[in-house]
Amino acid sequence: MSPEVHADPYPFYAELRRNSPVCQIDPGGIWAITRYADVVTVLRDPQTFSSMAWTDRVSPPWLKRNPLANSLFVLDPPAHTPMRTLINPSLSSGTVDGMEPHMRAVSEELTRAVLSKTGEVEFVSEFAAPLAASAVGTVLGLPKELYPRFKSWTASVFSISANQHSPEQIATIQSDLAEMERYFTEYFDRRRAEPTNDLVSRLLAATVDGQPLSQEQMMSFLFILLPGGLETTTTVLGDTMIMLARHPDVFQRVRANHALLPRLIDEVMRFESTAHTVFRRTRRPVELSGTTIPEGAMVVCLIGAANRDEQQFPDADVFNIDREKNHHLSFGHGAHHCVGAFLGRMASRVALETLLPHIHSITLGEQGFARHHSLNARGPVSLPLHFGKEPS
């Protein structure tokens, strides 16, 4: 979490992979796992590595209540399985494909707006975040006038895992989470009275073992899906713009051939991982890379390190959209593979298909850009860009 490491964590990750692939780190002697093969072993074995570890990360003493602490996010199979099954149909490839015309219309509107500006564009707030809000808001059936609040809510949810908070930051997080709960409580009542075809209405009508979902379970779903959906797509789009600005040759290739966009998106997600950490807790002593981790230990899989593992990705520190077998871990692995993966990929692709034909260059703003500063997320929170525009 030191500023110099957070700004560029990859040399530190490489040192860990080479010399200490399984080791204890601050804070609190957490066991860090950095090699791709070991991370995959952890993520696909919930019987040994429990997701309940997340409860500690999202339940600091100063936060008296957080619906994430009892959510799908922290459940292990078999309890995780029926809950996950409820939301899979709403985020399947078929359902997401049906959303593409809507997302293209949203992308076109945002593209017109940013191209109408002279000078600098703040890409996160003016394009990436509104597009991501529309994607997740459409799935959940949330009203468009609520979308501007998503960014603040998401920032607060992701800030919980930071190691230090000022009194002002704590007050903001507490206020945002309370506001989320108040709004969603009212929203559930409206959807019970007037159900539609959105995911919230389907969850309210669903049962698990013959019982409807509780208010707490409903709340936990939205506390996962809204911030997760917003953050992933916003980060992918922001990091893609950064990489295209730094690699103008790649920009010209994908601009001329949109068939390369899925490869571009996956390479961006590998090179600049959308999520950098996944926490687990050991249920028994276990050995990884010759090191024994005791029972009950907190384990952190450093996804950003695994995605740069030379044993899995040749020339891992080279940004290469022609990379074959790009099985990155930014969407997770195993039972907790990101349920919104189809939505994130589609929304990002459609946005790029819409925007790129109208610009011939991308330049980073002179003042640079700012990233999230949390254990899990380091995507851009502000990204000033200059676009070279094609003549209209």
Side-chain angles (χ1 to χ4, degrees):
M1 293 299 291
S2 63
E4 62 273 14
V5 171
H6 194 75
D8 182 13
Y10 301 106
F12 174 61
Y13 290 164
E15 180 184 351
L16 289 178
R17 284 195 308 271
R18 285 192 303 268
N19 302 319
S20 304
V22 178
C23 67
Q24 288 186 276
I25 60 172
D26 290 330
I30 297 171
W31 290 83
I33 314 297
T34 54
R35 289 180 180 170
Y36 183 96
D38 288 337
V39 169
V40 168
T41 295
V42 172
L43 297 183
R44 71 183 178 195
D45 184 4
Q47 302 308 312
T48 303
F49 301 94
S50 171
S51 297
M52 288 298 293
W54 277 110
T55 301
D56 299 332
R57 299 305 311 175
V58 298
S59 303
W62 52 264
L63 189 61
K64 295 180 180 180
R65 172 172 166 73
N66 183 359
L68 277 177
N70 299 298
S71 68
L72 180 70
F73 202 43
V74 304
L75 291 178
D76 297 316
H80 171 272
T81 306
M83 302 297 285
R84 170 74 179 241
T85 301
L86 291 178
I87 57 177
N88 280 341
S90 296
L91 292 163
S92 67
S93 60
T95 303
V96 167
D97 287 346
M99 289 177 57
E100 184 165 327
H102 169 72
M103 292 311 304
R104 196 170 296 280
V106 172
S107 298
E108 289 170 351
E109 180 181 349
L110 291 169
T111 295
R112 287 192 295 270
V114 296
L115 293 180
S116 69
K117 294 192 63 174
T118 57
E120 201 167 74
V121 171
E122 203 297 282
F123 185 76
V124 171
S125 62
E126 295 179 36
F127 190 97
L131 183 125
S134 183
V136 70
T138 299
V139 169
L140 297 175
L142 296 170
K144 189 174 181 180
E145 58 267 23
L146 189 66
Y147 292 178
R149 294 296 301 136
F150 290 1
K151 185 178 180 182
S152 176
W153 289 354
T154 296
S156 285
V157 169
F158 277 92
S159 296
I160 294 169
S161 66
N163 288 332
Q164 295 181 338
H165 300 85
S166 68
E168 293 77 17
Q169 289 170 325
I170 288 175
T172 297
I173 293 170
Q174 291 172 332
S175 175
D176 278 343
L177 266 61
E179 183 183 44
M180 289 174 72
E181 284 214 72
R182 284 196 303 272
Y183 182 85
F184 292 145
T185 297
E186 297 172 0
Y187 185 64
F188 297 156
D189 290 341
R190 292 203 300 272
R191 278 292 175 260
R192 287 188 183 98
E194 300 179 6
T196 63
N197 193 38
D198 56 63
L199 175 55
V200 169
S201 297
R202 288 192 286 274
L203 289 174
L204 288 168
T207 60
V208 175
D209 296 329
Q211 298 296 317
L213 296 179
S214 67
Q215 186 84 353
E216 184 75 12
Q217 288 170 320
M218 286 293 305
M219 195 68 68
S220 71
F221 269 122
L222 267 68
F223 265 69
I224 295 171
L225 295 172
L226 192 154
L230 188 83
E231 182 61 26
T232 299
T233 302
T234 301
T235 296
V236 170
L237 286 172
D239 280 336
T240 298
M241 288 294 111
I242 294 169
M243 297 311 297
L244 292 179
R246 290 174 173 171
H247 299 270
D249 57 326
V250 174
F251 170 69
Q252 295 303 331
R253 285 184 63 195
V254 297
R255 185 172 179 269
N257 182 4
H258 287 178
L260 295 174
L261 288 174
R263 282 176 173 259
L264 168 68
I265 291 166
D266 273 320
E267 180 64 354
V268 168
M269 295 188 74
R270 182 199 71 82
F271 195 81
E272 288 283 6
S273 301
T274 47
H276 274 244
T277 59
V278 171
F279 286 88
R280 297 289 186 265
R281 190 177 293 280
T282 54
R283 298 179 185 270
R284 61 176 179 82
V286 61
E287 183 178 307
L288 290 174
S289 289
T291 298
T292 298
I293 305 173
E295 180 180 353
M298 180 76 80
V299 169
V300 59
C301 296
L302 293 178
I303 302 298
N307 280 342
R308 295 283 192 104
D309 190 339
E310 303 85 348
Q311 299 302 311
Q312 176 68 23
F313 304 102
D315 298 317
D317 287 328
V318 175
F319 183 73
N320 177 15
I321 67 168
D322 298 315
R323 190 177 298 280
E324 299 293 336
K325 299 180 180 179
N326 188 355
H327 302 306
H328 64 77
L329 300 175
S330 288
F331 281 129
H333 184 81
H336 284 273
H337 183 269
C338 178
V339 70
F342 290 120
L343 179 62
R345 282 192 168 103
M346 182 276 287
S348 300
R349 172 182 55 78
V350 168
L352 295 170
E353 286 175 350
T354 306
L355 175 62
L356 296 190
H358 297 282
I359 56 178
H360 59 73
S361 65
I362 304 170
T363 306
L364 297 175
E366 293 181 2
Q367 301 303 314
F369 55 91
R371 290 189 175 275
H372 278 293
H373 195 72
S374 76
L375 282 173
N376 185 54
R378 64 181 297 274
V381 292
S382 65
L383 179 58
L385 298 175
H386 292 274
F387 291 140
K389 304 169 188 177
E390 288 295 309
S392 57

